[in-house]
Amino acid sequence: MTTKNKQLKTQFLKKQLPAYIKMASGLSLVVGTMGLTAPAFAQDAAEDQVEEVIVSGQRASIQSAQDVKRNSSVVVDSIVAEDIGKLPDRSVTEALQRVPGVTVGRYTNNDAEHPAAEGSGVAVRGLTQVRAELNGRDVFSAASGRGLSFESVPAELMYAVDTYKSPSADMIEGGLGGTVNLRTRMPFDADGQLVSVSAKANYGDQLEETNGEYSGLYSNRWETDAGEFGILINASTSDLATRSDQVYSRPYMPRNINGDDVWVSKGVDWRRNDHESTREGGYLALQWAPNDNTELYFTAFQTKHDNVYDENAFFLEGHNGDQALVPTAGNDWVYSANGAMESGTVTVANPAQWGLDFGTSTRWAQNVSKTTDYSTGIKWSPDDHWKFSADLQYVKADARVDDYTLGLKVIPAQARMEGIGTEKPSIIIDDAYMSNYANYNLGQAMTHFERNEAEAKTGRIDAEYDFDGAVIKSVKAGVRYSEKTGDNINTGYDWNTRYATWFGFDKNSIPKVTADQAADYLTLYSFGDFQRGDVTVPANGYLYSSNAARNFRATTDAVNADCETDGAWWCAGSVYQEWDRLENPDYRNLQEEKTVAMYIMTNYGFDDLAMPIDGNFGVRVVQTDNTASGTLVVNEATVDGVVVVPRSTEPLEAKTNNTHVLPSFNLRMQATEDLYVRFAASEAIWNPSFSDMQAFVTVSADIDEETGVIKSFNLNQDTNPYLQPMEATQFDLSVEWYFDSNGGMAYAALFNKQVEGFFKKTTDAYAIGDYKGEATWLDNIGSGDINGLEIGVNKFFDALPAPFDGLGIQANYTYIDSKADIPLNTQPVGGDTQAGAAPLDTDRSSYGQLPIDQLSKNAFNLVGMYEKDGLSARLAYSWRSKYLIAWGGNGFDPDFNDGLGGKARIPVYNDDYGQLDASISYNFLDNYTVTVEASNLLKEKTVGIIDQNAAGDHVAYSYAQDARFAVGIRARF
């Protein structure tokens, strides 16, 4: 943290915050110290790209990618399209998982509760802080302002995907794991006219639905009296429908059953998610070379991703106290060796009055995101020494989320649970009871809205002078200026319920679903072949129809119309009234960011050595100023209906600025004609997203109910407008052996990354005058040390007799060892929670240091290839070992049941995961290719492991997703 930012933090905490609280409560307060922090920016790709030709076929694609790696001055791995509009995998994300050191997640927004329809989230060398670029320029989504989800970009628009693992000074800052640059074609890449069209049909085996995918490209160049002109137009649209069946066992709570200390799960969930995703992309590129020394260009790129999912769920919720799960009189419970309940018939203490809390829910959500990039520039080389370039860019991004959930409650007296904590937890409930709508009540409703807009204006100027020297080859310098703004609204998840057993109400007296309501809004639902028949779920159950959820407002207005006449005790607060929440300034996040970056870089070479050496060294200096505008809210506090602290809101403006000096050094030694040794060292940063830096602070008073005296003021938020960038020092040592001219290559790399300032939600104690309080928010917490090894080989077996001379193999393996230093928990603050950022089990026991999240210790890719006489085949298997997803995530943060308050923060891991994909293509009539593809051929499940101390490890969930098949045709002229 810079000195100036420390002063800003102190100013806010010691002056502004007490002043706001004083306005609300009339108290004179002085704030003590708390940890805070601030932002930074992004990263352009290196200019010295290898000149490439358009290639066709797996072998040519691999050779072209190896040329990029061999001739680059930095550590880079590339994927080059084996033909126009054809990366080797269906999506950019899935293609990246084949790169050594790169792993792919399987969750939406890293939320273990929500699997992604495709691979989602990329980690490079164990870190998910990966910068995304488009043709070496900053590209981003609206909500984060930092990066673009690779799965949102149509793969058909890509020429190549470069993964930079060591930076140079001329690259835009902002990537700890690395930088992934998405490269599109330019008209001058081809000698003349190019036309390509393709069509594909996709099919998912569980959903049993077929969707289409189409793309087309036209490129040409002409010589005229005014110079050479080129144009390229590329468009793509694709639909994907997929199904995911999910089953969850909830965390185990310490319980005493019949005098024995045991562990009992809070319940089980079953969900089916149907995703419908449409990806559209368009790209225009113009080039003009008026003479041999000058080139002007203009590009326009747009990607739009429209994702809709329908979720149908059944769930049994066990609560604390009188609503906790207990055995029936028969007491047939079976326990593990650790005393964890595995199976048995469950009920509650008073089933006649309360019953089991069983729910069904229907969720409909649509997420539409769009990013548009306009870029123009000039390259000019007036003589043999000077090179100049200037680039202007405008990016506009927007996103919209509408998310609705409607649920029912049904209260059976008992149920039979089996296989709890395994991949196949099952439940048996009386089918006749579940199939009668009159046993249900209209239970709960939830909404979530987002309206996000962001834009950036960027200018860049670079100059390079070639010395033709013996050692100093050239010196390159440049400056980049960017203004980025974000206007984002996120209403959070507004959850309302009419009835639940934990309210303490008698189940017999609440209004039940009427015949008209059942006919208008409900459907009798069956999961059918759930997880391909592996898991037993209730045969039938009522839930809201998908149409009722999609038309949420009309549905809730109708069912709530006569709410008050049916009994105010259950209706109070259940009528959804806040349709104006999108206009509520409390949910708005305004960000303004200005970045100035300057660099100087020297390219050097010792050509006369027995082992020639070349490379670059330089430094990049970046200054970032950020202003986050939002709201500080003091929540109302009452005692016996008397307002002690009134609710108030005040504007909050948080300003940060920081300067980072980022040196880099890259060396390449040619030990022999075909053997290269590389060394790289650099400093890197990763900037917090705009959503993490939202200036929305809430302060709540803790009141002594007996005396009415304010005991403390507590701060609680999921963001921090003063958050600072993460920082890393990184080293790389690698060897590359290009042992034949037909794509044969072997390589090995050792790397180390030392990371500071992870973004973690933490609880800290602080003082307000004579009062002690807690601040719970996102902060820069702890450090980590990552050491790793990458090895790999590519080989085509041309020496084999026909027809086996078309065989080839790609194999790579990555090993990563990490150590994290995250502050552990202190004693309870104020008797309610435990401070710190580390995980806590449900019995308040701690875990010590855990590995860095998202990092697998072992990962490998094995790809078998065949290419001969127009036939091309590929069988690819990717595997990664168990890795930590997060701790205390949604669904894995239960309330403690010891009466002291607070929530557990339980670690959840993704178990080992491997996926087999295949493709076969055949070229005919010179210009046509027919393809057949399959992904997830082994129908692998994504399995989560919940880590608990005394209760032991159990399966937290398993996701069964579609095996997908596709057939397509591609023509090129």
Side-chain angles (χ1 to χ4, degrees):
M1 182 187 300
T2 64
T3 300
K4 190 166 184 179
N5 275 333
K6 288 181 180 179
Q7 294 170 348
L8 287 168
K9 177 186 73 173
T10 303
Q11 179 183 6
F12 173 75
L13 293 171
K14 289 190 175 180
K15 296 180 181 179
Q16 293 176 324
L17 179 58
Y20 290 130
I21 297 174
K22 183 177 179 180
M23 293 176 191
S25 64
L27 298 176
S28 178
L29 306 173
V30 179
V31 178
T33 58
M34 288 185 283
L36 284 169
T37 25
F41 222 70
Q43 200 176 90
D44 271 333
E47 290 288 336
D48 56 343
Q49 297 293 334
V50 176
E51 183 178 346
E52 298 170 320
V53 297
I54 294 176
V55 296
S56 178
Q58 293 181 94
R59 182 193 296 259
S61 173
I62 291 170
Q63 289 175 327
S64 183
Q66 289 179 184
D67 286 342
V68 174
K69 184 177 183 70
R70 183 173 189 166
N71 295 305
S72 175
S73 62
V74 297
V75 180
V76 61
D77 287 292
S78 292
I79 306 165
V80 178
E82 58 190 80
D83 204 343
I84 300 172
K86 183 63 177 73
L87 281 179
D89 288 276
R90 185 187 181 280
S91 73
V92 172
T93 303
E94 291 172 343
L96 280 168
Q97 71 180 325
R98 318 294 182 194
V99 175
V102 177
T103 51
V104 171
R106 301 287 165 183
Y107 306 96
T108 300
N109 298 325
N110 197 35
D111 180 1
E113 289 262 307
H114 293 97
E118 305 174 86
S120 176
V122 171
V124 177
R125 292 181 166 177
L127 292 173
T128 57
Q129 292 78 23
V130 178
R131 173 173 167 71
E133 292 184 349
L134 177 66
N135 295 321
R137 304 182 188 93
D138 187 30
V139 65
F140 52 86
S141 62
S144 69
R146 297 302 179 202
L148 189 66
S149 298
F150 298 117
E151 58 269 22
S152 297
V153 180
E156 297 79 15
L157 301 186
M158 294 299 104
Y159 182 12
V161 180
D162 305 317
T163 302
Y164 290 91
K165 299 175 180 178
S166 72
S168 54
D170 59 343
M171 296 175 65
I172 306 175
E173 68 287 342
L176 300 190
T179 295
V180 175
N181 181 38
L182 308 177
R183 274 195 287 145
T184 55
R185 297 177 185 274
M186 294 293 285
F188 290 175
D189 290 336
D191 292 333
Q193 177 174 282
L194 272 179
V195 179
S196 174
V197 293
S198 67
K200 185 186 295 184
N202 295 288
Y203 175 82
D205 75 311
Q206 291 187 121
L207 191 63
E208 299 180 342
E209 183 176 318
T210 302
N211 306 103
E213 180 178 311
Y214 311 94
S215 66
L217 177 143
Y218 172 79
S219 178
N220 210 342
R221 57 195 295 180
W222 303 270
E223 289 282 358
T224 72
D225 293 339
E228 187 171 14
F229 289 88
I231 184 172
L232 185 149
I233 302 172
N234 198 357
S236 169
T237 181
S238 66
D239 293 320
L240 174 70
T242 186
R243 168 180 166 181
S244 175
D245 292 349
Q246 311 149 33
V247 59
Y248 301 80
S249 292
R250 292 305 179 184
Y252 283 79
M253 306 299 296
R255 299 281 307 285
N256 187 279
I257 302 294
N258 298 326
D260 296 324
D261 292 328
V262 297
W263 296 86
V264 181
S265 171
K266 284 183 67 65
V268 183
D269 293 22
W270 302 265
R271 302 180 189 176
R272 170 177 164 173
N273 275 13
D274 291 354
H275 290 263
E276 294 182 6
S277 178
T278 299
R279 236 184 328 240
E280 298 176 348
Y283 174 61
L284 168 68
L286 304 174
Q287 282 180 291
W288 175 36
N291 53 57
D292 292 339
N293 301 323
T294 309
E295 179 192 316
L296 293 91
Y297 57 85
F298 171 81
T299 63
F301 180 94
Q302 184 177 95
T303 179
K304 180 180 179 181
H305 192 201
D306 186 342
N307 185 62
V308 174
Y309 76 85
D310 285 289
E311 179 182 270
N312 296 309
F314 291 173
F315 49 92
L316 174 63
E317 293 186 286
H319 299 282
N320 297 331
D322 291 335
Q323 284 75 42
L325 300 179
V326 297
T328 56
N331 194 7
D332 57 356
W333 283 18
V334 176
Y335 300 91
S336 70
N338 291 332
M341 185 262 200
E342 293 180 332
S343 65
T345 306
V346 298
T347 185
V348 294
N350 187 349
Q353 181 179 359
W354 297 318
L356 294 175
D357 191 354
F358 195 95
T360 71
S361 72
T362 305
R363 187 173 184 177
W364 182 89
Q366 182 178 34
N367 186 336
V368 182
S369 61
K370 183 170 68 174
T371 297
T372 306
D373 176 299
Y374 301 101
S375 298
T376 186
I378 184 172
K379 299 178 181 179
W380 178 48
S381 181
D383 54 37
D384 292 337
H385 295 282
W386 282 105
K387 294 179 183 177
F388 297 95
S389 65
D391 189 274
L392 295 174
Q393 180 193 23
Y394 174 75
V395 179
K396 174 72 173 178
D398 57 75
R400 175 190 178 103
V401 176
D402 293 293
D403 190 344
Y404 303 113
T405 301
L406 288 170
L408 305 175
K409 288 290 186 178
V410 63
I411 309 109
Q414 65 180 41
R416 172 74 185 178
M417 299 172 64
E418 296 179 350
I420 307 305
T422 72
E423 288 188 32
K424 302 177 181 181
S426 301
I427 191 167
I428 301 171
I429 301 178
D430 179 37
D431 183 49
Y433 185 87
M434 294 292 292
S435 299
N436 184 355
Y437 67 81
N439 291 323
Y440 291 76
N441 68 87
L442 303 177
Q444 66 269 339
M446 183 179 73
T447 60
H448 170 67
F449 304 112
E450 293 184 38
R451 301 292 186 267
N452 303 311
E453 295 181 356
E455 65 177 18
K457 302 170 185 175
T458 303
R460 176 172 178 167
I461 298 175
D462 298 90
E464 183 174 7
Y465 186 82
D466 189 342
F467 287 97
D468 291 331
V471 176
I472 303 301
K473 302 299 184 181
S474 67
V475 173
K476 186 177 182 182
V479 60
R480 179 179 181 272
Y481 176 78
S482 180
E483 293 183 358
K484 185 180 290 187
T485 60
D487 185 349
N488 300 317
I489 302 173
N490 186 327
T491 66
Y493 293 88
D494 182 57
W495 182 81
N496 292 277
T497 188
R498 288 182 175 81
Y499 176 82
T501 58
W502 41 268
F503 281 4
F505 298 132
D506 190 325
K507 70 176 185 179
N508 302 300
S509 61
I510 65 169
K512 300 298 195 298
V513 171
T514 67
D516 288 342
Q517 289 172 333
D520 292 342
Y521 309 115
L522 307 188
T523 183
L524 185 62
Y525 183 80
S526 173
F527 280 109
D529 191 25
F530 189 81
Q531 291 204 351
R532 302 182 177 93
D534 282 351
V535 177
T536 302
V537 298
N540 295 287
Y542 273 93
L543 45 69
Y544 276 98
S545 68
S546 179
N547 187 62
R550 185 181 296 109
N551 297 289
F552 180 92
R553 183 165 188 177
T555 301
T556 54
D557 284 350
V559 299
N560 290 328
D562 58 353
C563 178
E564 296 296 339
T565 65
D566 289 340
W569 61 266
W570 67 268
C571 184
S574 66
V575 180
Y576 191 85
Q577 298 174 335
E578 292 190 68
W579 288 109
D580 60 349
R581 288 159 73 228
L582 284 168
E583 284 71 51
N584 188 335
D586 291 358
Y587 300 116
R588 195 172 187 181
N589 176 25
L590 297 173
Q591 301 279 341
E592 291 186 28
E593 186 173 80
K594 296 180 180 179
T595 302
V596 179
M598 294 177 287
Y599 76 90
I600 185 168
M601 183 179 77
T602 298
N603 294 300
Y604 64 88
F606 298 89
D607 302 330
D608 297 331
L609 297 178
M611 297 182 181
I613 292 174
D614 63 4
N616 63 69
F617 61 88
V619 63
R620 188 176 187 89
V621 180
V622 186
Q623 178 177 313
T624 303
D625 298 324
N626 184 280
T627 300
S629 301
T631 308
L632 185 140
V633 178
V634 179
N635 289 325
E636 180 182 280
T638 62
V639 176
D640 295 331
V642 178
V643 176
V644 179
V645 178
R647 187 182 192 275
S648 67
T649 61
E650 297 291 336
L652 172 62
E653 187 175 86
K655 293 186 177 182
T656 60
N657 62 76
N658 57 72
T659 301
H660 287 88
V661 179
L662 306 174
S664 60
F665 175 79
N666 291 278
L667 178 147
R668 180 182 63 167
M669 180 178 71
Q670 188 173 359
T672 69
E673 183 177 355
D674 300 318
L675 184 67
Y676 293 82
V677 179
R678 296 181 187 270
F679 173 77
S682 61
E683 298 276 352
I685 59 173
W686 174 258
N687 302 284
S689 69
F690 281 176
S691 55
D692 286 339
M693 297 186 68
Q694 182 174 1
F696 180 62
V697 179
T698 59
V699 180
S700 300
D702 186 10
I703 309 293
D704 189 312
E705 294 292 333
E706 295 183 359
T707 65
V709 174
I710 299 174
K711 297 188 295 184
S712 65
F713 277 91
N714 299 321
L715 202 69
N716 186 23
Q717 63 187 90
D718 294 324
T719 60
N720 184 345
Y722 299 94
L723 202 61
Q724 291 287 303
M726 294 170 58
E727 300 176 347
T729 302
Q730 47 196 20
F731 301 93
D732 187 285
L733 178 63
S734 60
V735 178
E736 302 161 9
W737 179 29
Y738 302 88
F739 52 77
D740 67 40
S741 59
N742 297 315
M745 174 192 177
Y747 53 90
L750 296 170
F751 56 87
N752 169 263
K753 292 178 182 287
Q754 300 161 29
V755 184
E756 298 282 346
F758 291 109
F759 305 151
K760 300 289 184 182
K761 191 171 182 180
T762 183
T763 300
D764 295 313
Y766 71 98
I768 298 180
D770 295 331
Y771 306 107
K772 292 183 178 179
E774 295 173 14
T776 302
W777 56 9
L778 199 65
D779 207 352
N780 293 99
I781 297 293
S783 61
D785 193 12
I786 298 172
N787 294 285
L789 164 70
E790 295 171 0
I791 57 174
V793 63
N794 302 333
K795 171 66 178 174
F796 285 92
F797 301 100
D798 300 299
L800 293 176
F804 303 106
D805 52 343
L807 289 171
I809 189 173
Q810 284 184 290
N812 61 67
Y813 166 75
T814 303
Y815 171 82
I816 300 177
D817 182 48
S818 69
K819 294 180 181 179
D821 183 11
I822 305 296
L824 298 179
N825 303 289
T826 63
Q827 293 300 312
V829 179
D832 291 330
T833 61
Q834 284 189 279
L840 283 173
D841 204 348
T842 53
D843 60 354
R844 296 189 186 268
S845 61
S846 61
Y847 290 81
Q849 297 294 344
L850 297 182
I852 296 173
D853 56 296
Q854 311 304 314
L855 189 152
S856 289
K857 180 167 284 190
N858 300 282
F860 71 82
N861 289 282
L862 184 61
V863 181
M865 298 172 289
Y866 184 83
E867 192 164 66
K868 187 176 178 66
D869 299 330
L871 178 67
S872 180
R874 181 172 179 262
L875 190 65
Y877 185 74
S878 295
W879 181 90
R880 64 180 300 188
S881 63
K882 176 180 173 182
Y883 64 93
L884 176 65
I885 301 171
W887 60 76
N890 183 30
F892 303 99
D893 57 345
D895 295 332
F896 290 118
N897 62 358
D898 55 12
L900 298 178
K903 287 179 173 290
R905 300 190 290 266
I906 301 176
V908 178
Y909 291 81
N910 194 104
D911 204 2
D912 302 348
Y913 182 85
Q915 181 169 307
L916 182 67
D917 305 322
S919 64
I920 301 175
S921 65
Y922 181 70
N923 298 330
F924 63 99
L925 299 178
D926 295 330
N927 297 325
Y928 298 89
T929 304
V930 62
T931 63
V932 178
E933 301 172 356
S935 62
N936 194 21
L937 271 171
L938 301 180
K939 301 177 181 178
E940 189 74 17
K941 292 182 180 179
T942 299
V943 176
I945 304 296
I946 186 168
D947 180 6
Q948 295 195 251
N949 294 320
D953 293 352
H954 292 87
V955 174
Y957 53 80
S958 68
Y959 299 158
Q961 295 177 290
D962 277 335
R964 297 200 309 270
F965 304 90
V967 59
I969 187 169
R970 187 169 61 251
R972 174 184 171 185
F973 307 96

